[in-house]
Amino acid sequence: MAEQLRIALAGLGTVGAGVIRLLEENGDTIAQRAGRPIAISAVSARDRTKDRGVDLSGYAWEDDMTRLAARDDVDVVVELVGGSDGPALALAREALGHGKGFVTANKAMVAHHGLELAELAEQEDAPMRYEAAVAGGIPAIKGIGEGAAANRIARIYGILNGTCNYILSEMESSGRDFGDVLSEAQVLGYAEADPTFDIEGVDAAHKLAILAALGFGTRLDFADVEMIGISRIRAADIAQARALGYVIRLIGLADCEDGGRLFQRVAPYLVPASHPLAGVSGATNAVVAEGNFAGRLLFEGAGAGDGPTASAVVADIIDIARGNTPPPFAVPVSALRHTESADPANRRNRAYLRFVVADRPGVLAEITAAMRDAGVSIESMIQEGHPEDDEGPVLVGMVTHEGREGTVTKAMDLLEGSPSLAEAPLVMRLLG
Amino acid sequence: MAEQLRIALAGLGTVGAGVIRLLEENGDTIAQRAGRPIAISAVSARDRTKDRGVDLSGYAWEDDMTRLAARDDVDVVVELVGGSDGPALALAREALGHGKGFVTANKAMVAHHGLELAELAEQEDAPMRYEAAVAGGIPAIKGIGEGAAANRIARIYGILNGTCNYILSEMESSGRDFGDVLSEAQVLGYAEADPTFDIEGVDAAHKLAILAALGFGTRLDFADVEMIGISRIRAADIAQARALGYVIRLIGLADCEDGGRLFQRVAPYLVPASHPLAGVSGATNAVVAEGNFAGRLLFEGAGAGDGPTASAVVADIIDIARGNTPPPFAVPVSALRHTESADPANRRNRAYLRFVVADRPGVLAEITAAMRDAGVSIESMIQEGHPEDDEGPVLVGMVTHEGREGTVTKAMDLLEGSPSLAEAPLVMRLLG
């Protein structure tokens, strides 16, 4: 067996400790599949004394994590620190600059600086891999970049954030409202104390931008991703969706016809109950890629957690040990296409519109007139009844016929500021 | 860009023609991802004159396909002939013996001769890949062998035969009986004129044996796979299963706890309606692997067809072009573990039992007495009513509590030859 591959770990949170446990528990299997043993040379984290449930005594310790990159006894640096910039980025540049292999689970950094790092990796002929950055333990990066490599891919979509999916499926099964379920998710550790990145779609957008670049062969463009979060969704929306035969999921969706414009959106969608993504509940993630020869491929599994994330990190290390080191975005950075952003106004789809309206005559006439004037055709409408003695606002849900998104935007503009509306309308598209 | 990778194609049926079309249509993308152009040097098939809708004039022709393996202008031989032995096997041996790369879609050959070929590949340092042999266009071999490489896998199961899944989901949606749907599937091209290999589970068993060896790191053992087909399933079974909250799917299932015995079975199972495999309809395939760190991974997509199969074949070629050439079963053949077969009698699960019985007093008493004597505990029973004036046999369905399979076998033995039964009972397990 060839000589061992020596790695350094930066960041010893739950995932870092998971990687150490995994390398210990499955070491024999891993060495066989990697063709050689994987050995940890050095580690670094903020606090040396913290008990992490793993024995660090066999590894060199660096207080300054960037020094891991310069060590002679390190072949691959594994970054599990997080954060799009700062120490993680400094370490990435150092590691690749020293010609070391680089493995990361850091979606924010790859989404923001992936092209720069990939160029540096190519220039230094250093392998860079980031399977764990997208969809946790699911080999989606490998599946799309290698498994579907023969295809032109025109559309990628999926459930990319476990926290949101957990919240939405809990709201669905319990009938409770968003805030209530979010609080519980925070207690259970499914949501962060500051959940903004998850619930506003930023985390999913990081992953989507990475998948789009990899799948379409376009330049990574995180700034282009439209983001709408889930915090405005009410239990009543989920009930209305269900009555129409749909569930609500936060979907990341990107498409780019060959030579065409790039569209990237993270938003709650109404997903038909018969669609494979409708059955994806809890913290599970799922990624769909549509290839021009393979057809629709779906990859599903745990989207987070120390075990699944460690599994993806070590798969990358095994690949580097075996010499399976394609360019980070499957093709050289110079070959990634520059694309313009697609105008969402020209997209055609059906939409669910929810209004919170004053319960008095004329309100529906005002809304439907705005729809007519904007050219939106209504297919169905559901009005929530409320207790007899309650004269507060009521919810009205509508589903439109298929049409240009621009018409719906125009209708919303016409209604803006209307005293009939107790809050801004909520617009969600139907997954086609 | 590096020099081109030169391939030879043996077999120009729909898949072979699909590979040519794919290399033509997506050639630029493929060359970028492969790091070099893929060029076809030579082809071979039975009939040179047949119109296959692709232009063969640029490729050398060999009447004798084994001669492809000796050509100096060929780096990789792609075998799309089929058949476990005969010309396909001769070609595989020749190609690997000449140190050429070898790519095949031939599940029967890999299931029967995979170890011999993998050893030859190792010995000659020649890459061998077979993604298209399992689950069509789904990168399941890559997903399990590489994507989940860090895991010990204890269980693999899935829907591995598109023909059976098409038939079962058609029976489900239309309420028609097996023979009727099979005939239609044959007309539509979803089933072969001789459908035995598909409907008796042989094709799924080929794939299962391959997945088990790859996932568990055990020696490939096709002869060990228990096979039960779908031809005895009636519309009434599907209706009864539905009433109980299940659908019927032909499932290939293998498990092997670390250091334990190997269990491999292809059989119709009752799958809970909420399970991801229950939603897999038509000719779609799905593979689930449970890793000790990754958790449950699911890969879903088109299980057959020229486009998806060509996609998998060319993914293998791209991997070889890039030098991603792990051992065919992820570890060297010498490292694959010898395991004994598990005794199914000791497995614990719930079962659905269906009897066709004479409609007269005492029959149920006889059946339930046999169950009691064998130690089978009955959870629920459904008896099909029949028209008042019909005195023919009736169907009785039972679901057992969880118990050893051996007890059910014993109960069936006790009932064998009973004049109360119009035909042998049908036993299907519930997917746990």
Side-chain angles (χ1 to χ4, degrees), chain A residues 18 21-22 25-26 29-30 32-34 137-139 142-153 214-217 274 276 279 292-302 306-312 314-315 318-319 322-327 329-332 335, chain B residues 18 21-22 25-26 29-30 32-34 137-139 142-153 214-217 274 276 279 292-302 306-312 314-315 318-319 322-327 329-332 335:
Chain A
R21 265 206 341 257
L22 173 49
E25 284 186 32
N26 294 0
T29 305
I30 290 168
Q32 283 180 341
R33 296 206 178 134
I138 309 171
K142 182 177 279 286
I144 292 172
E146 301 178 29
N151 292 264
R152 289 204 305 261
I153 293 172
L214 179 73
F216 305 151
S274 61
N292 67 332
F293 275 72
R296 185 175 82 184
L297 297 173
L298 180 145
F299 307 92
E300 184 182 320
D306 51 339
T309 309
S311 167
V314 177
I318 293 172
D319 266 330
R322 286 200 301 103
N324 180 25
T325 55
F329 295 98
V331 301
Chain B
R21 257 189 324 141
L22 173 49
E25 283 186 31
N26 293 1
T29 305
I30 290 168
Q32 283 180 340
R33 297 208 177 134
I138 309 170
K142 181 177 279 288
I144 292 172
E146 302 178 30
N151 292 265
R152 289 204 305 263
I153 292 173
L214 179 72
F216 305 150
S274 60
N292 67 332
F293 275 71
R296 184 175 83 183
L297 297 172
L298 180 144
F299 307 92
E300 184 182 319
D306 51 337
T309 309
S311 167
V314 176
I318 293 171
D319 267 330
R322 284 199 303 103
N324 179 25
T325 55
F329 294 98
V331 300

Side-chain angles (χ1 to χ4, degrees), chain A residues 338-362:
Chain A
H338 288 265
T339 48
E340 289 187 62
S341 301
D343 181 358
N346 292 324
R347 297 182 71 80
R348 295 187 64 82
N349 47 38
R350 296 165 68 202
Y352 165 88
L353 315 173
R354 183 256 288 160
F355 304 92
V356 183
V357 302
D359 191 14
R360 59 171 171 73

Side-chain angles (χ1 to χ4, degrees), chain B residues 365-407:
Chain B
E366 184 189 343
I367 293 174
T368 52
M371 300 291 218
R372 179 200 60 211
D373 295 345
V376 177
S377 171
I378 299 165
E379 182 189 291
S380 60
M381 191 163 78
I382 301 183
Q383 176 164 348
E384 190 193 40
H386 59 61
E388 283 171 49
D389 55 354
D390 179 357
E391 295 190 356
V394 294
L395 258 64
V396 176
M398 292 182 186
V399 174
T400 71
H401 281 291
E402 188 180 302
R404 287 181 62 247
E405 287 198 6
T407 60

